[in-house]
Amino acid sequence: QGDVVSFGSAEQDPELPAPQAAMLDEDSLQTISRESIRIQDTIDVNPLWSIQVYGGKVNGSILAGRNFLGRESGDVGSALVFGDSVGVTRRVMGILDACYPFAHKAGLLVGEQVGLEGSDPKSGCVVLLLPGALGTAVNFCGVRPVGPELQVFDAD
């Protein structure tokens, strides 16, 4: 007999924002970049705009990334990232670090495209933004358990 694996059911905690999933690829990164430039031009013309609208100093990259991903900084406690190219994954992690500096990030690189230079135009990342923080192990991240716990004692 091996280790026991426990499973349970979970539901979204109604007091927290729902998890948000997004697919980011070269096209979406270019969209974020163009929007970042447009927003930054507005901020450069009227530097007080970001303070008046957002209550603090922000830049075009932060606002464009948050707009694209659909979550404000306080709504994200952690992010899970699953990428298939080092180039795209690095850029996505840069956006996540700028947009959600206090959120914990974890993930992995999957697939065959693990080259350091360039990236396949079809490559990308799936990002799951979660309201709760990641622990030392992946935990419920903002959902609460419901129903009885299930245990698996043996599997093929």
Side-chain angles (χ1 to χ4, degrees):
Q1 297 251 343
D3 294 330
V4 174
V5 177
S6 296
F7 293 94
S9 299
E11 70 178 9
Q12 173 64 35
D13 185 335
E15 296 182 14
L16 295 174
Q20 175 79 3
M23 174 67 185
L24 286 95
D25 57 13
E26 289 290 342
D27 289 340
S28 58
L29 292 172
Q30 288 298 323
T31 298
I32 292 169
S33 180
R34 284 190 299 274
E35 182 66 3
S36 170
I37 292 167
R38 188 193 67 75
I39 292 171
Q40 191 61 49
D41 287 346
T42 301
I43 293 171
D44 290 344
V45 170
N46 182 4
L48 294 178
W49 179 78
S50 66
I51 295 170
Q52 293 165 343
V53 175
Y54 292 95
K57 183 98 172 103
V58 293
N59 64 36
S61 297
I62 293 171
L63 296 177
R66 288 180 186 168
N67 288 342
F68 185 88
L69 294 167
R71 289 289 183 265
E72 292 299 319
S73 183
D75 295 336
V76 178
S78 57
L80 296 176
V81 179
F82 303 94
D84 69 356
S85 135
V86 172
V88 170
T89 303
R90 280 185 182 165
R91 291 171 58 201
V92 168
M93 289 300 290
I95 290 170
L96 292 174
D97 283 341
C99 294
Y100 311 108
F102 302 109
H104 300 156
K105 291 118 186 139
L108 53 108
L109 197 57
V110 297
E112 298 176 14
Q113 303 171 25
V114 293
L116 292 175
E117 298 301 322
S119 62
D120 185 323
K122 294 176 272 183
S123 66
C125 285
V126 173
V127 176
L128 181 60
L129 302 175
L130 301 165
L134 294 172
T136 54
V138 176
N139 54 24
F140 283 114
C141 303
V143 296
R144 61 182 181 200
V146 296
E149 181 180 272
L150 305 173
Q151 293 185 343
V152 177
F153 293 98
D154 191 20
D156 291 335

